[in-house]
PDB file of all heavy atoms in Angstrom:
ATOM      1  N   LEU A 179      -7.535  24.815  18.791  1.00 98.00           N
ATOM      2  CA  LEU A 179      -8.590  25.884  18.678  1.00 98.00           C
ATOM      3  C   LEU A 179      -8.038  27.220  18.233  1.00 98.00           C
ATOM      4  O   LEU A 179      -6.899  27.694  18.591  1.00 98.00           O
ATOM      5  CB  LEU A 179      -9.094  26.024  20.141  1.00 98.00           C
ATOM      6  CG  LEU A 179      -9.903  24.916  20.842  1.00 98.00           C
ATOM      7  CD1 LEU A 179     -10.536  25.479  22.150  1.00 98.00           C
ATOM      8  CD2 LEU A 179     -10.964  24.368  19.908  1.00 98.00           C
ATOM      9  N   THR A 180      -8.882  27.904  17.489  1.00 98.00           N
ATOM     10  CA  THR A 180      -8.535  29.264  17.070  1.00 98.00           C
ATOM     11  C   THR A 180      -9.860  30.080  16.875  1.00 98.00           C
ATOM     12  O   THR A 180     -10.951  29.555  16.885  1.00 98.00           O
ATOM     13  CB  THR A 180      -7.657  29.116  15.680  1.00 98.00           C
ATOM     14  OG1 THR A 180      -7.130  30.449  15.444  1.00 98.00           O
ATOM     15  CG2 THR A 180      -8.563  28.562  14.482  1.00 98.00           C
ATOM     16  N   ALA A 181      -9.590  31.414  16.790  1.00 98.00           N
ATOM     17  CA  ALA A 181     -10.680  32.323  16.748  1.00 98.00           C
ATOM     18  C   ALA A 181     -11.492  32.196  15.457  1.00 98.00           C
ATOM     19  O   ALA A 181     -10.944  31.939  14.361  1.00 98.00           O
ATOM     20  CB  ALA A 181     -10.247  33.744  16.939  1.00 98.00           C
ATOM     21  N   MET A 182     -12.872  32.407  15.533  1.00 98.00           N
ATOM     22  CA  MET A 182     -13.646  32.329  14.348  1.00 98.00           C
ATOM     23  C   MET A 182     -13.194  33.350  13.269  1.00 98.00           C
ATOM     24  O   MET A 182     -13.432  33.094  12.081  1.00 98.00           O
ATOM     25  CB  MET A 182     -15.130  32.678  14.813  1.00 98.00           C
ATOM     26  CG  MET A 182     -16.241  32.075  13.888  1.00 98.00           C
ATOM     27  SD  MET A 182     -15.976  30.498  13.102  1.00 98.00           S
ATOM     28  CE  MET A 182     -16.868  29.351  14.209  1.00 98.00           C
ATOM     29  N   GLU A 183     -12.560  34.371  13.696  1.00 97.00           N
ATOM     30  CA  GLU A 183     -12.090  35.421  12.713  1.00 97.00           C
ATOM     31  C   GLU A 183     -11.003  34.809  11.792  1.00 97.00           C
ATOM     32  O   GLU A 183     -10.729  35.362  10.612  1.00 97.00           O
ATOM     33  CB  GLU A 183     -11.379  36.629  13.334  1.00 97.00           C
ATOM     34  CG  GLU A 183     -12.216  37.568  14.201  1.00 97.00           C
ATOM     35  CD  GLU A 183     -12.564  36.969  15.631  1.00 97.00           C
ATOM     36  OE1 GLU A 183     -11.652  36.986  16.494  1.00 97.00           O
ATOM     37  OE2 GLU A 183     -13.767  36.553  15.768  1.00 97.00           O
ATOM     38  N   ASP A 184     -10.395  33.699  12.143  1.00 97.00           N
ATOM     39  CA  ASP A 184      -9.428  33.048  11.240  1.00 97.00           C
ATOM     40  C   ASP A 184     -10.041  32.216  10.053  1.00 97.00           C
ATOM     41  O   ASP A 184      -9.371  31.684   9.252  1.00 97.00           O
ATOM     42  CB  ASP A 184      -8.540  32.123  12.041  1.00 97.00           C
ATOM     43  CG  ASP A 184      -7.471  32.853  12.925  1.00 97.00           C
ATOM     44  OD1 ASP A 184      -7.198  34.102  12.606  1.00 97.00           O
ATOM     45  OD2 ASP A 184      -6.994  32.303  13.870  1.00 97.00           O
ATOM     46  N   ARG A 185     -11.276  32.250  10.023  1.00 97.00           N
ATOM     47  CA  ARG A 185     -12.045  31.516   9.060  1.00 97.00           C
ATOM     48  C   ARG A 185     -11.576  31.637   7.616  1.00 97.00           C
ATOM     49  O   ARG A 185     -11.378  30.570   6.884  1.00 97.00           O
ATOM     50  CB  ARG A 185     -13.596  31.810   9.161  1.00 97.00           C
ATOM     51  CG  ARG A 185     -14.545  30.973   8.572  1.00 97.00           C
ATOM     52  CD  ARG A 185     -15.831  31.363   9.193  1.00 97.00           C
ATOM     53  NE  ARG A 185     -16.772  31.883   8.165  1.00 97.00           N
ATOM     54  CZ  ARG A 185     -18.064  32.061   8.344  1.00 97.00           C
ATOM     55  NH1 ARG A 185     -18.495  31.976   9.620  1.00 97.00           N
ATOM     56  NH2 ARG A 185     -18.805  32.471   7.395  1.00 97.00           N
ATOM     57  N   PRO A 186     -11.249  32.846   7.147  1.00 97.00           N
ATOM     58  CA  PRO A 186     -10.935  32.973   5.754  1.00 97.00           C
ATOM     59  C   PRO A 186      -9.556  32.212   5.446  1.00 97.00           C
ATOM     60  O   PRO A 186      -9.334  31.902   4.241  1.00 97.00           O
ATOM     61  CB  PRO A 186     -10.582  34.471   5.670  1.00 97.00           C
ATOM     62  CG  PRO A 186     -11.396  35.090   6.736  1.00 97.00           C
ATOM     63  CD  PRO A 186     -11.431  34.148   7.833  1.00 97.00           C
ATOM     64  N   LEU A 187      -8.770  31.855   6.521  1.00 97.00           N
ATOM     65  CA  LEU A 187      -7.522  31.133   6.189  1.00 97.00           C
ATOM     66  C   LEU A 187      -7.728  29.750   5.696  1.00 97.00           C
ATOM     67  O   LEU A 187      -6.933  29.172   5.053  1.00 97.00           O
ATOM     68  CB  LEU A 187      -6.572  31.097   7.456  1.00 97.00           C
ATOM     69  CG  LEU A 187      -6.309  32.308   8.241  1.00 97.00           C
ATOM     70  CD1 LEU A 187      -5.513  31.965   9.508  1.00 97.00           C
ATOM     71  CD2 LEU A 187      -5.516  33.223   7.343  1.00 97.00           C
ATOM     72  N   PHE A 188      -8.929  29.211   6.122  1.00 97.00           N
ATOM     73  CA  PHE A 188      -9.160  27.741   5.814  1.00 97.00           C
ATOM     74  C   PHE A 188      -9.549  27.458   4.391  1.00 97.00           C
ATOM     75  O   PHE A 188      -9.335  26.216   4.041  1.00 97.00           O
ATOM     76  CB  PHE A 188     -10.247  27.257   6.802  1.00 97.00           C
ATOM     77  CG  PHE A 188      -9.731  27.128   8.265  1.00 97.00           C
ATOM     78  CD1 PHE A 188      -9.546  28.318   9.036  1.00 97.00           C
ATOM     79  CD2 PHE A 188      -9.673  25.921   8.885  1.00 97.00           C
ATOM     80  CE1 PHE A 188      -9.042  28.201  10.306  1.00 97.00           C
ATOM     81  CE2 PHE A 188      -9.243  25.829  10.200  1.00 97.00           C
ATOM     82  CZ  PHE A 188      -8.904  26.927  10.892  1.00 97.00           C
TER      83      PHE A 188
END
Side-chain angles (χ1 to χ4, degrees):
L179 294 187
T180 189
M182 204 39 98
E183 292 81 72
D184 285 339
R185 193 161 121 173
L187 305 178
F188 287 68

